[in-house]
Amino acid sequence: MYSTLRKILAGILIFFAIFFIGYFSFRDYALKKILESQANKLEEKYNVQLTTGKVNFKGMSGLYFKTIVVSTTEKDTILRADSVYLKIRLLPLLAGKKRFSNFDAYDVDIRLIKKGNVDNFTRFFKNRKKTEVEGKQYSNFSDLMNSMLGKIFGIIPSKISLKHLNLSTILNSGQTSLYVPNFKLYSGKYYGSVVITSDEGQNNCLIDGNLESSKRIADFNLSSADSKKLIIPFVKAKYDARVEFDSLHLSFKDKGFEGGLLNLNGKSEIAGLMINHKKLAPTDILLKKGLADFNIRIGDRSVELDSSSVIGINQISFNPYIRYEANPNKQLSLKILRKEFNSLSFFESLPKGMFNSLEGMLTEGDLIYHLNFYVDFHHPANLVFDSRLEKKNFRIVHFGKTNFSMINGNFYHEVYEKNKLVRAFMVGDDNPNYVHLDQISSYLKNAVLTCEDPAFFLHHGFSEEAFRKSIATDIIKKRFARGGSTISMQLVKNVFLSRNKTVSRKMEEALIVWLIENMHLSTKSKMFEDYLNLIEWGPGIYGITEASNFYFNKRPVDLNLTESIFLASIIPHPKTYKFCFDSTGQLRLRYQRYFSMIRYLMLRRREISSEDTAKNSPWIDLRGRAREMVVSHDTIAADTTENFDTIID
């Protein structure tokens, strides 16, 4: 038995001896052939040349390159490294996979250039199909993501050392350079420093974190090395925006498959975030702290953000649920289950720069929010939209910068266009042009309600049905084709906010409307009365008294049905009213059809009688100063009629 064992051991030793002799005898030749093969593949596939200086083996599986250069055939250098050391993992190599346990690089220079349609780097991405990873086609989301994660974590060496790495980009959107003086990864921990220089400024960054490739676990910390805010490059040049922050933390964990679903967990935190973009807000948006703790499940054709996930904004947090389904139809679900907030924490957590009129507001009690949204993109008309903000022992202790109850009395109204004051007047009895509801034609009041907000006296500031139809129409037409603003929202926009069309203005508008309506800061009748007395009815024409005189040389109480429908129809586009008419002063055909539709809706709502419609026609008899402007206008700008599409649709 012992003799047999000795023979087996001797055989193994002889095998390894032969293997090592063969390996050390032929590895230089094999390396030369491999490098030649790789160079030929790069030139054939990407039209680039690979050249190396002296190459030496170090130890059993280490490779040392004196220089490595990758350049285009036009001699434009993409990458140059003066010194590179690689240590190959032998077991994966036997399976045909190139994996490295060590990677050291010194004095590395990478240059990415794009001028117009000419560049030196997109060639590396054009030949890969979006659904293909490592030559394999994937029919579902989970397999695709699992393969991508395996590839990413699989190629990261367990030890990395970088010194003097410089990545410079010269792109159409601007110039940026990333300089890494040093970076090290060892025993699952990494740290380093980075200097990023762009047109927006210079960042001196510190990075550190942990990495366990075998478990697919990683986290990442980024902070400033000199107490200055970090600037995200390219954003200014490409989007005309500026984004800065103090620190960023990201963590990720692949929990594997469970019940046929790929489970991914992660967390991100950002501190001192500043965003500046004219479409978001007119000033800087500031967020002290933001948090996203996410649990994602990926199936064959679905992606789901589980409701155990947490989104945090300053002092408040909530649990969102999002699900995207690709088959059989594309479907999207978004839910926020009833979430109770301390009202004072809620208002104090609003990002600065987005809710300026609410800053400094003091409240007591709680607020409860609920959201249920669902759309099948093949059947958008069946869209579900349910958004509710409720109060619980809630009261306003002190208004912030603006007292929203001022609309109950006389108040001074200023009209700005492009940040310039164009008109200012008193709204209330102190203004001789101000008229009460009983001094306004019932035809006009009902026509305005029919056109702008039929349920105004029934809802609490928002019409969910109008929002639902607005979103569905936008999806069908693939553009913002229909608005969902109520009269309450239009009044708040005119009285308390600027005319800047920004995301922050819309969000601030919604919150102010909720406060006014739900805290009964004004009556519905007073709000409607103020609305009719201050909105614009034509260029420089404000309030129904000026409008009835300008168009018809009448008092508001004397307006007939035809005149009332016309005035209601121009509210969405008051400055372009004259494009509704032809050179003889009569309504164009498309506006006659809209006129008839409004009349029909008023009849169906029993706001007018059949006798009223019998005496009514879409022929507008302009008798005020407006007639001179319409008749003298003999050219029509083609694009101005588009303003009416939203209403007609």
Side-chain angles (χ1 to χ4, degrees):
M1 179 177 177
Y2 291 108
S3 175
T4 302
L5 182 60
R6 283 198 300 270
K7 289 180 180 180
I8 292 173
L9 291 174
I12 293 174
L13 291 174
I14 292 171
F15 169 79
F16 278 105
I18 295 173
F19 171 80
F20 283 118
I21 291 171
Y23 173 74
F24 284 103
S25 299
F26 296 101
R27 66 178 184 174
D28 289 331
Y29 175 78
L31 176 61
K32 181 180 178 181
K33 290 299 182 182
I34 291 173
L35 291 176
E36 289 177 356
S37 174
Q38 290 297 319
N40 291 334
K41 287 181 180 179
L42 287 172
E43 185 167 2
E44 179 181 345
K45 191 171 183 179
Y46 301 114
N47 200 27
V48 296
Q49 295 178 341
L50 170 66
T51 57
T52 63
K54 187 177 181 181
V55 183
N56 295 325
F57 276 98
K58 296 188 70 174
M60 181 69 180
S61 58
L63 290 174
Y64 174 78
F65 296 82
K66 178 57 180 173
T67 58
I68 296 178
V69 178
V70 177
S71 60
T72 66
T73 53
E74 294 81 16
K75 305 303 180 183
D76 180 19
T77 301
I78 302 173
L79 178 148
R80 178 183 178 87
D82 285 349
S83 174
V84 174
Y85 171 71
L86 299 172
K87 188 173 183 180
I88 302 172
R89 292 162 58 187
L90 293 178
L91 289 179
L93 186 63
L94 295 175
K97 297 181 180 180
K98 305 182 190 72
R99 298 291 186 264
F100 306 102
S101 60
N102 292 57
F103 177 76
D104 300 341
Y106 304 93
D107 296 323
V108 181
D109 186 37
I110 303 171
R111 298 173 69 245
L112 306 179
I113 301 173
K114 182 176 178 63
K115 294 181 179 179
N117 296 324
V118 179
D119 65 77
N120 67 353
F121 59 91
T122 58
R123 65 189 73 200
F124 297 106
F125 308 102
K126 289 180 179 178
N127 293 329
R128 182 177 290 269
K129 296 180 181 179
K130 291 183 179 180
T131 57
E132 184 177 321
V133 178
E134 292 183 341
K136 182 177 180 180
Q137 295 288 335
Y138 290 92
S139 60
N140 61 67
F141 296 158
S142 57
D143 280 355
L144 176 61
M145 178 58 71
N146 185 54
S147 178
M148 290 175 62
L149 292 174
K151 183 178 180 182
I152 292 170
F153 280 102
I155 64 174
I156 299 176
S158 56
K159 294 181 182 179
I160 299 177
S161 177
L162 301 176
K163 285 188 178 180
H164 306 303
L165 182 149
N166 186 68
L167 168 64
S168 60
T169 65
I170 303 175
L171 309 177
N172 296 330
S173 56
Q175 299 186 28
T176 300
S177 69
L178 182 149
Y179 174 64
V180 181
N182 63 83
F183 175 87
K184 287 189 178 295
L185 167 63
Y186 183 76
S187 296
K189 298 183 181 296
Y190 64 89
Y191 60 90
S193 58
V194 181
V195 180
I196 303 174
T197 305
S198 66
D199 296 335
E200 289 89 346
Q202 180 172 296
N203 295 330
N204 296 311
C205 314
L206 297 176
I207 57 175
D208 67 87
N210 299 288
L211 178 67
E212 295 184 58
S213 297
S214 59
K215 297 181 180 180
R216 296 188 182 182
I217 297 175
D219 69 0
F220 172 81
N221 298 296
L222 177 64
S223 59
S224 174
D226 53 14
S227 73
K228 294 181 181 179
K229 281 187 176 293
L230 301 178
I231 307 169
I232 298 180
F234 297 119
V235 176
K236 178 67 175 176
K238 190 166 185 178
Y239 302 105
D240 193 23
R242 188 174 178 89
V243 181
E244 303 176 355
F245 60 93
D246 292 332
S247 62
L248 176 68
H249 168 76
L250 301 172
S251 64
F252 173 86
K253 182 177 182 180
D254 178 3
K255 298 188 71 175
F257 283 88
E258 182 178 341
L261 301 175
L262 180 62
N263 290 266
L264 308 176
N265 290 2
K267 187 175 183 178
S268 64
E269 295 181 50
I270 192 166
L273 177 65
M274 187 285 291
I275 303 175
N276 183 290
H277 192 282
K278 60 184 179 182
K279 290 187 178 181
L280 295 178
T283 58
D284 293 346
I285 298 173
L286 303 175
L287 179 67
K288 289 183 179 179
K289 182 176 68 173
L291 165 72
D293 193 343
F294 58 87
N295 298 307
I296 299 175
R297 292 197 291 260
I298 304 175
D300 287 353
R301 302 296 291 170
S302 66
V303 179
E304 181 180 87
L305 180 69
D306 189 77
S307 59
S308 61
S309 303
V310 179
I311 300 294
I313 301 174
N314 291 330
Q315 303 175 42
I316 63 172
S317 63
F318 58 92
N319 303 90
Y321 172 82
I322 303 173
R323 180 178 176 84
Y324 173 76
E325 190 88 38
N327 285 336
N329 297 332
K330 292 182 180 179
Q331 302 169 51
L332 177 65
S333 299
L334 172 60
K335 294 182 180 181
I336 297 176
L337 302 180
R338 288 175 60 86
K339 175 65 179 181
E340 190 168 312
F341 304 97
N342 175 272
S343 63
L344 183 58
S345 297
F346 174 82
F347 285 104
E348 289 180 343
S349 295
L350 296 175
K352 288 189 176 182
M354 294 189 71
F355 301 87
N356 294 325
S357 62
L358 296 163
E359 287 186 14
M361 177 176 281
L362 300 178
T363 64
E364 292 180 349
D366 298 319
L367 296 172
I368 304 167
Y369 184 66
H370 165 86
L371 172 66
N372 182 24
F373 174 85
Y374 168 80
V375 61
D376 182 332
F377 289 94
H378 286 254
H379 305 284
N382 298 327
L383 180 144
V384 175
F385 179 79
D386 179 16
S387 175
R388 283 174 284 164
L389 181 63
E390 303 168 4
K391 60 183 187 295
K392 180 180 178 182
N393 301 321
F394 174 78
R395 74 182 188 94
I396 300 172
V397 177
H398 173 72
F399 286 104
K401 289 184 178 180
T402 305
N403 185 341
F404 303 121
S405 64
M406 73 178 191
I407 58 176
N408 274 320
N410 291 308
F411 62 92
Y412 199 62
H413 180 51
E414 295 181 337
V415 181
Y416 287 86
E417 291 183 5
K418 297 180 180 180
N419 297 321
K420 291 184 179 180
L421 180 65
V422 296
R423 183 78 182 271
F425 54 92
M426 187 66 69
V427 178
D429 291 332
D430 291 348
N431 184 343
N433 283 334
Y434 188 90
V435 289
H436 295 283
L437 284 180
D438 59 2
Q439 298 171 312
I440 300 174
S441 165
S442 60
Y443 290 132
L444 187 281
K445 290 182 287 189
N446 289 327
V448 170
L449 290 171
T450 299
C451 289
E452 294 298 307
D453 191 357
F456 172 72
F457 284 98
L458 302 176
H459 63 60
H460 295 288
F462 307 95
S463 173
E464 288 195 2
E465 180 62 15
F467 275 121
R468 191 192 70 78
K469 289 182 178 179
S470 173
I471 298 170
T473 301
D474 292 343
I475 292 172
I476 292 170
K477 294 185 175 294
K478 298 181 180 180
R479 62 182 175 90
F480 293 107
R482 175 175 178 156
S485 292
T486 62
I487 284 177
S488 304
M489 298 170 74
Q490 293 180 50
L491 179 65
V492 164
K493 176 184 67 177
N494 278 278
V495 176
F496 300 112
L497 303 172
S498 71
R499 293 196 177 189
N500 295 321
K501 294 182 179 181
T502 61
V503 173
S504 65
R505 194 212 70 189
K506 203 66 180 176
M507 296 175 67
E508 188 175 14
E509 174 187 302
L511 196 48
I512 296 172
V513 168
W514 185 89
L515 288 168
I516 292 175
E517 291 267 10
N518 287 270
M519 301 308 295
H520 308 293
L521 301 181
S522 181
T523 65
K524 284 283 192 177
S525 295
K526 185 63 167 66
M527 293 173 68
F528 189 39
E529 186 175 281
D530 285 345
Y531 174 80
L532 295 175
N533 277 278
L534 65 79
I535 62 171
E536 186 177 18
W537 299 84
I541 308 300
Y542 294 90
I544 188 57
T545 298
E546 292 185 13
S548 57
N549 182 64
F550 176 73
Y551 291 103
F552 305 110
N553 199 23
K554 285 185 175 182
R555 298 179 304 164
V557 71
D558 297 324
L559 293 169
N560 61 34
L561 178 59
T562 300
E563 295 160 347
S564 297
I565 294 177
F566 168 74
L567 287 174
S569 71
I570 65 172
I571 290 175
H573 55 100
K575 293 187 184 299
T576 60
Y577 75 92
K578 55 188 174 183
F579 299 120
C580 300
F581 299 89
D582 60 24
S583 59
T584 66
Q586 294 304 319
L587 278 180
R588 293 179 176 275
L589 182 60
R590 65 182 306 188
Y591 303 121
Q592 290 184 35
R593 291 196 297 265
Y594 177 69
F595 184 99
S596 299
M597 182 185 72
I598 296 303
R599 182 179 58 191
Y600 166 74
L601 291 174
M602 292 178 70
L603 179 64
R604 193 174 70 176
R605 285 161 53 89
R606 298 182 180 179
E607 294 168 343
I608 57 175
S609 66
S610 56
E611 289 79 11
D612 290 320
T613 61
K615 298 180 291 184
N616 175 257
S617 68
W619 300 103
I620 309 301
D621 184 14
L622 295 175
R623 295 189 177 185
R625 290 186 296 114
R627 178 172 178 78
E628 299 175 7
M629 299 180 182
V630 168
V631 174
S632 63
H633 183 76
D634 56 3
T635 58
I636 304 297
D639 59 343
T640 56
T641 58
E642 292 299 320
N643 295 320
F644 232 83
D645 287 346
T646 298
I647 303 172
I648 293 175
D649 291 335

